[in-house]
Every structure is written in C-alpha cells, then in structure tokens.
Amino acid sequence: MTDDLTMDHLVPAGIALGSGLLGAFLLRMLLRWLAGHAGRTRWSGDDVIVAALRTMAPWAAVSAGAAGAAAALPLTRAVQHNVNQVLTVLLIFVATVTSARLVAGLVRSVTTSRSGVAGSATIFVNITRILVLAIGFLVMLQTLGVSIAPLLTAMGVGGLAVALALQDTLANLFAGIHILASKTVQPGDYIQLSSGEEGYVEDINWRQTTVRDLSNNLVVIPNGQLAQSNMTNFMRPEQQLTILVQVGVSYDSDLEHVERVTIEVVAEVMAEITGAVPEHEPAVRFHTFGDSRIGMTVILGVGEFSDQYRIKHEFIKRLHRRYRTEGIRIPSPARTVALQQGAVVFPQQRTGEPDDAPHAGFVRNLPSNPSRVDAEHEIS
C-alpha cells in the first residue's frame, strides 16, 4: 500500500463493497420475479435468458463492488493491477459459463420448438456449449498474459492426429450434423430403415441416434449408418398419411351397394375414432377380378403413424358387422376340382414283333372314383 489505511479509505471501500452486495441481492430478487412471469409464457427461451441472468448479474454486481473497493484503498500499482486482473478473470469465467448455458438453452429451445416434441437434439447443444467454453478459456489465458498462438498451433497438429485416430467417431459426428442441418430426421419423427429398424426418433447426439420402437424399446443407431441407409420418414413432409385396407366381396354382390355401404363405414370411423382425420374424403376403388372375389382397396386417413393400427381395427370390425347386416357376403377362398372319367392305357410287353407293328395294349375305363383302381387285371 502507498499510505496507511484510514477511515477516509475504509468508508468508501466499505460503501462500494456494500453497494455491490446490495445490488447483487436486488438483482437476484428482480430476476426471481421475472422468472415467475417468464414461466407463464409459451416461449421457453425467456426462461433460459432469465436463468442465465440470475447467475451472471449478481456476480457482476459483487465484482463491481469489489473493484470499487480496491480502487478506494491505497494499493500499489502492482497490487491494484493484480486485483483488477483477478476480478476480470472471475468475470470472464462467470460470463463464459453463463454464455455457454444461455446458448445451449436457446439451441435446445429452438430444436424443441421445431421438432414439436419434448426431446432435444443434444448434438447441437453439446457443440455450442463446447465452443463457447473454449473461446472463454482462450480469452482468460489472453487476459492473464499467456500467448495463445502456440496453443492454437499445438491444437491444430493434435487435432489432425486425433482426426486420423477417430475417423469413425468423426464420421458419426458430421453425419449427425448433416442429418439435423438438412432436416431429414428430427426428434419425434417416425422412421423405418431398409435394415428393418423403425420407431420414433428420441434423440440425435454426437455419435448415435436413439429410436424408440412401438414396443417401447430403445434402438441405438450410429449416425453414419443412418445417413447411408435407405430410410422412410413417415412424418415428412406432413404428419398425416393414408393407409390402404384390402377388402373382397362375392361376385353376386351389387357393387354400387357395396361401395355406398363401405363409404358410410369409412365416414363413421373417420368421425368417431381418435387419431383419424375427420376431413378425409372416403375412397373405395375396385381393382381385381379374383379367383373367388372382387377385390377393392379402401383408403383411410390417419393423423399419425401409430394410429393406423387402432383405426384398422375399428374399421374392420364395423365393416364386417355392416356387411352382415346388409347381406353382403365376403367369400372365403375356395377352389373347385372337377374329376372326369378317363382311360388309362397299359402298354403290352414286346414279344419280338417288328418295330413298326402296332403295340397292343390293355384299356380300362376308370371308375368315377379314380382313387380306387382295380389292379387285378394282368397284361395279356
């Protein structure tokens, strides 16, 4: 210190430090009140911003109070510089952690609002958090007087070695980024791969995609495999879809009557069953003269992929009941086999006759039941 401590030094320092603590308390109370209002809004981003400010603002007020107190005290230039540097590093650290939390929260909020589900694409969240923390760490080193140029050079060389050693991991990482950036797959989509895996996408992280199938089991798929596989997304370009149900009626049916009754059942199912599309226009298309029936396709509207099983179940039950009421017959597969009486020729054994001589034979008329053939006759 340059001078001895006096009340003229301590009073301003105490006032500055007390003001910082009081400001931190008031800011925390204010932000708590704002958090209550933000929780009642539909956008989740304001909750993230208020939560980040509740961490950053009190520490900034305390640091400002401490800096004011240090300036009021009779400190040497070196001590004053060290105090200011420590407070600056502390602020940078708090700001870095707060910024990482804020940016990650906003990214999570954006991905959640776009996908329309409660899951989040953690790959973007983790990448943004790591980038913000790395930038804040480099800024702290620069503030402390540490040159970051050699560190960046070493990180570049080391990154090349790591990239060669972790080719599969990096392939999964960039495949996941490509999948999310192209919006091919997002959390909440129902997908089916050519290899047979299917289900709802729960999450896409830096290495793998987690899919929950209809049995409520989790299937883990590497991002690289997902990017290279032939895939059907049942939620794109829209969530609603149509399903086809095959029906057959007998040849003696009145097809106009069949079509009218079937359309009425479709309209009833679309209006009453949860998951159906009420505005779907019923459609029935006859297409095949089968062996025992006339085939037709019934087109149903479904609001979401997993709803199709419940809608098919209800439609088939109601259609079967209505057909029985209307006298419309659904024939079971049948095949008619016609057996005719014929002749079986048993060639006679050769007895040295010339080749051009006609071969005598024994002819027996078959009875109406060909399964029993009298075998007592011998070749003459």
Side-chain angles (χ1 to χ4, degrees):
M1 294 186 179
T2 57
D3 299 321
D4 294 334
L5 285 175
T6 63
M7 293 300 297
D8 294 337
H9 299 135
L10 293 177
V11 172
I15 293 174
L17 186 58
S19 299
L21 294 175
L22 179 61
F25 176 76
L26 294 177
L27 285 174
R28 192 165 184 82
M29 296 299 294
L30 175 62
L31 291 172
R32 179 179 298 179
W33 177 77
L34 290 176
H37 284 275
R40 291 190 290 269
T41 61
R42 298 180 58 183
W43 184 48
S44 60
D46 53 0
D47 299 325
V48 176
I49 295 174
V50 173
L53 291 177
R54 290 182 66 180
T55 302
M56 178 67 186
W59 280 103
V62 172
S63 299
L73 294 175
L75 303 177
T76 61
R77 179 176 299 179
V79 175
Q80 185 71 37
H81 174 73
N82 292 335
V83 171
N84 291 336
Q85 197 172 43
V86 170
L87 293 175
T88 303
V89 171
L90 177 62
L91 277 178
I92 293 175
F93 174 76
V94 174
T96 300
V97 175
T98 304
S99 300
R101 185 181 303 174
L102 174 63
V103 174
L106 291 177
V107 171
R108 182 182 292 108
S109 176
V110 171
T111 54
T112 301
S113 63
R114 288 188 177 183
S115 61
V117 295
S120 63
T122 58
I123 181 173
F124 284 155
V125 175
N126 293 334
I127 289 177
T128 53
R129 182 184 289 116
I130 292 174
L131 287 177
V132 174
L133 291 176
I135 293 173
F137 177 72
L138 294 177
V139 172
M140 282 192 295
L141 291 180
Q142 189 71 25
T143 302
L144 293 174
V146 179
S147 178
I148 62 175
L151 179 62
L152 293 177
T153 303
M155 289 175 62
V157 177
L160 179 60
V162 171
L164 293 176
L166 301 176
Q167 294 184 20
D168 294 338
T169 302
L170 292 178
N172 290 327
L173 171 64
F174 289 108
I177 295 176
H178 169 72
I179 289 172
L180 286 177
S182 62
K183 298 182 180 180
T184 305
V185 179
Q186 295 185 20
D189 291 350
Y190 192 97
I191 63 173
Q192 183 181 57
L193 303 184
S194 57
S195 54
E197 296 87 353
E198 63 177 283
Y200 291 96
V201 178
E202 288 288 307
D203 188 31
I204 304 175
N205 59 29
W206 62 275
R207 182 180 180 274
Q208 62 203 17
T209 298
T210 305
V211 175
R212 176 175 54 85
D213 60 17
L214 294 180
S215 301
N216 209 29
N217 299 318
L218 295 180
V219 181
V220 179
I221 306 172
N223 291 332
Q225 178 182 344
L226 182 64
Q228 297 176 3
S229 176
N230 295 330
M231 177 183 61
T232 302
N233 191 335
F234 292 95
M235 299 293 190
R236 309 288 170 181
E238 60 181 11
Q239 187 172 348
Q240 294 183 358
L241 66 154
T242 57
I243 58 175
L244 308 180
V245 179
Q246 304 301 325
V247 184
V249 295
S250 62
Y251 276 90
D252 57 359
S253 301
D254 182 355
L255 296 187
E256 295 292 339
H257 182 218
V258 170
E259 182 178 8
R260 182 174 61 257
V261 170
T262 305
I263 288 178
E264 290 176 359
V265 175
V266 173
E268 177 184 334
V269 171
M270 293 295 100
E272 298 180 2
I273 304 303
T274 303
V277 182
E279 61 272 13
H280 171 74
E281 182 179 356
V284 177
R285 298 292 182 267
F286 294 99
H287 55 76
T288 304
F289 288 103
D291 292 338
S292 59
R293 65 183 65 192
I294 296 178
M296 64 179 179
T297 298
V298 182
I299 305 175
L300 305 175
V302 179
E304 197 265 333
F305 182 84
S306 61
D307 294 331
Q308 63 174 308
Y309 304 104
R310 178 174 60 256
I311 294 174
K312 281 183 179 179
H313 170 77
E314 290 294 333
F315 171 72
I316 291 175
K317 286 198 310 180
R318 299 188 183 201
L319 186 66
H320 182 262
R321 182 170 61 247
R322 183 68 182 277
Y323 275 7
R324 295 185 64 179
T325 303
E326 298 289 338
I328 300 174
R329 190 168 62 89
I330 303 176
S332 57
R335 185 180 298 275
T336 302
V337 179
L339 299 178
Q340 298 179 354
Q341 291 185 354
V344 177
V345 178
F346 296 91
Q348 186 180 10
Q349 293 182 350
R350 296 185 179 184
T351 58
E353 298 176 0
D355 293 341
D356 55 353
H359 298 290
F362 176 80
V363 178
R364 174 181 173 84
N365 289 331
L366 292 177
S368 59
N369 185 0
S371 62
R372 299 185 59 186
V373 178
D374 189 1
E376 296 179 357
H377 298 271
E378 297 180 355
I379 300 175
S380 58

